[in-house]
Amino acid sequence: MTQLIGGFLDVLNLSTLVWIAVGVTVGYVLGVLPGLGKATGVAVSIPLTFYLGPVAAIAMLIGIAKGSTAGSAVSAILLNTPGEPSSAPTALDGYPLARQGKAQKALKMGLFASVIGDFLSTLILICLAAPLAQYALLIGPVELCAILVFSLTFIGGLSGKSLTKGLIAGALGIFFATVGLETETFIPRMTFDLLELDDGIPLVPMAIGMLAVAEMAIQAGNMRALDMEMAQIADSGNPDDRRVTRDEWRRCAVPILRGTLIGSVIGILPGLGASVASFLSYGATRKASDDPDSFGTGRIEGVAAAESADNAVVPSSLVPLFALGIPGSVIAAILIAAFVLHGLTPGPLMFEQNPRMVAAVYAAMLCASLLMLVIGYFGQSLFAQVIKVPMRLIIPPVLFLCCIGAYMESGSVFAIWIMLFFTVFGFFAKKLDFSFVTFLIGYVIGPSIELTFRQSLQILDHKWTNLLVHPIALVFIVLTAVTLVLLARAQTTGKNARTKPRPTGAEPQPSTQGRNR
Amino acid sequence: MRRANVLSGAALAVFGLLMLIFVIPAQIDQGPPGMMSPRLVPSLMMGLTTVLAVLLCATNLRSVEDDDGPISRAELLALGKFGVLFAVAYAGYALIGPLAAGVVILLGGLLMLGERRPLYLVLLPVVVLGGTYLLFYRLLGTPIL
């Protein structure tokens, strides 16, 4: 608690608060624009934080992540086009509400649910990460290697439609992580005699290329149809249709709390992601309702359930990162680069080595939640105008910022080449459904996997039977095998079900993917 | 998607084999005796990728799923246009300087995407380039070039 108070003292100054506010605002705008999500925003912004203090820099990036998650509801409600796939269930009831002239009501409830979910989930992070980290310190290289392999398998299996493709993405991620000087022998690996590659492939240009530039290419390909989708949403004249009434608060309280719980649990589990959480929460609220059939026609509870879960995922997804050093989501993977850059190595040791900084990060996260409420509430109608800007005016500045972001990483044009290489890679990965999330996480944890694998071989004396004296590792190896079998069976069953002819008149199943512009 | 899976699986399998047979042995030395070979993890990952790629190819060859192409012509065209835009921007950077590259990306990007209104063609590059200058050189006080 003392550390947390110290953390608040570090954060509660004008400079840091302004940077958090900038982060939340930028994130909100990025979230409103379909296709430009939190991962893109954070990846592009990391180089911009080089010149900020550590607390201000991390606080700003966290502000972007939080603001973007909340902002994605705006386009979901106004355009029926989620800013991020995780806001797709928000559109199910938010868009009908907007069509009824209740856009302001839906936007406000979306914001309130987002802030509550985010704030409570941050508290869960604060309560859980440090105690979990104490257990993590008892884990040795053999156990850590098994846990990392299990996490990557789990993420690979769940982050796309195909287990095989997920595993390929993870393996490629680890492969690319081996480029550069090998840490024990200093032998260059796949550097092609390029000195720039001796330190490995830089994460920031890679992430910018895969996430931002590749997404812009896809958006540019669909630009004409997307611009035509812009709808004119007229507000109702009734003041009650522009605010959240007491009765609506009463009806939404339980869905919000349920959504927060679902989002927090899903966030802690690596790989499941915000889309799973928001759909689960929406489904649970619909199921618990007296009138489930009315969902999809403009029920405010649907918006509250989806948005609270969506936003609860962001803070809780940092639990495995802080406690174990394992990024459970793409945003956590990208944030690792920012944390390391600013002197904080995520993992169990950071609570011992840098408690004040961790406390400042927690304080910044709580402040970001509150600033999100203020900025979202007063700026919502302004941010809503952003969706009316045609994509052709958005794409060139984004490309320009991507180049600056990549260039600033190393101060060299080589970083832009890296960005362009991974743009092509990311474009095909996205379109062919090879999980780029698994690729990036594989890339980030690749060095740890290799190091612990080497250490494990020495500790085990190259004899697999010695694993018997490492029961935790054994448990995770068994879990990995079970996960592989279960996921493979589930996907085979799902595929068989899809290929069977549907009976006449059967309703199509709702997609779990958001309609990305 | 089936055809795309077969093609991507085949391409990845060929890529994996090429890496395993030619690139990894040529690009990574064996390392000193008594130490774990630096080739071990890259080879393991490429081997895994190759096996999984063959599996992807084989399972989709047997599949009877629908065969919608996942990539539209417009998307491929946009990717190609981006390639041209960055090539011209690089030429601008190499021949003139970073400002030219910035102008090419902004102005060329607008033209490439169909913007023809002179006001926007002038205003957007000025605002973005001016804003970047103000942010880095004035507000943060750190020249980036």
Side-chain angles (χ1 to χ4, degrees), chain B residues 94-141:
Chain B
L95 296 172
I96 304 169
L99 188 63
V103 172
V104 168
I105 289 175
L106 290 165
L107 187 61
L110 285 169
L111 289 168
M112 185 187 85
L113 295 169
E115 182 58 62
R116 295 290 179 270
R117 290 170 290 182
L119 181 67
Y120 285 86
L121 291 174
V122 174
L123 208 60
L124 194 96
V126 169
V127 168
V128 174
L129 290 170
T132 308
Y133 172 79
L134 285 177
L135 175 68
F136 288 104
Y137 289 77
R138 296 289 166 198
L139 185 64
L140 295 173

Side-chain angles (χ1 to χ4, degrees), chain A residues 150-332:
Chain A
F150 167 72
S151 302
L152 197 61
T153 310
F154 197 65
I155 292 167
L158 291 174
S159 56
K161 288 177 191 158
S162 159
L163 172 65
T164 314
K165 289 183 186 177
L167 294 177
I168 289 175
L172 283 175
I174 299 174
F175 175 78
F176 278 105
T178 61
V179 173
L181 292 182
E182 201 256 353
T183 47
E184 277 184 16
T185 58
F186 295 102
I187 288 174
R189 297 193 290 191
M190 288 166 297
T191 56
F192 298 92
D193 295 327
L194 295 167
L195 287 177
E196 292 93 336
L197 284 178
D198 276 358
D199 289 335
I201 300 170
L203 174 65
V204 172
M206 174 196 272
I208 290 175
M210 285 190 81
L211 297 169
V213 188
E215 183 62 41
M216 286 302 100
I218 295 169
Q219 301 281 332
N222 299 299
M223 195 177 59
R224 200 161 293 173
L226 301 171
D227 284 343
M228 280 163 62
E229 273 181 21
M230 288 176 192
Q232 293 292 324
I233 303 290
D235 274 334
S236 155
N238 183 354
D240 269 358
D241 287 344
R242 294 199 295 270
R243 65 185 179 92
V244 181
T245 63
R246 188 172 292 191
D247 178 55
E248 284 160 345
W249 267 117
R250 191 180 50 74
R251 283 191 281 132
C252 289
V254 175
I256 289 175
L257 292 176
R258 190 192 295 117
T260 303
L261 185 66
I262 290 173
S264 302
V265 173
I266 297 285
I268 291 169
L269 297 172
L272 289 178
S275 297
V276 176
S278 56
F279 272 99
L280 269 180
S281 173
Y282 182 83
T285 299
R286 187 173 184 262
K287 206 171 177 181
S289 163
D290 295 337
D291 185 13
D293 289 342
S294 64
F295 275 75
T297 60
R299 286 285 295 262
I300 193 88
E301 296 95 314
V303 175
E307 279 305 300
S308 56
D310 185 10
N311 283 265
V313 169
V314 175
S316 67
S317 72
L318 298 179
V319 171
L321 179 68
F322 284 9
L324 304 167
I326 298 172
S329 62
V330 70
I331 189 77

Side-chain angles (χ1 to χ4, degrees), chain B residues 7-88:
Chain B
L7 288 175
S8 57
L12 275 171
V14 171
F15 170 74
L17 285 173
L18 285 175
M19 294 299 284
L20 280 170
I21 297 168
F22 298 110
V23 180
I24 291 176
Q27 284 291 318
I28 309 176
D29 290 341
Q30 268 295 4
M35 296 188 83
M36 206 176 86
S37 170
R39 287 181 191 172
L40 180 67
V41 174
S43 301
L44 272 177
M45 289 305 117
M46 232 353 106
L48 181 63
T49 303
T50 309
V51 171
L52 288 168
V54 170
L55 186 70
L56 179 69
C57 207
T59 49
N60 279 279
L61 275 173
R62 289 188 293 130
S63 167
V64 288
E65 267 193 90
D66 59 318
D67 207 7
D68 293 340
I71 307 174
S72 69
R73 199 166 165 271
E75 286 168 342
L76 276 176
L77 198 66
L79 187 67
K81 282 180 179 175
F82 274 30
V84 173
L85 181 70
F86 280 109
V88 176

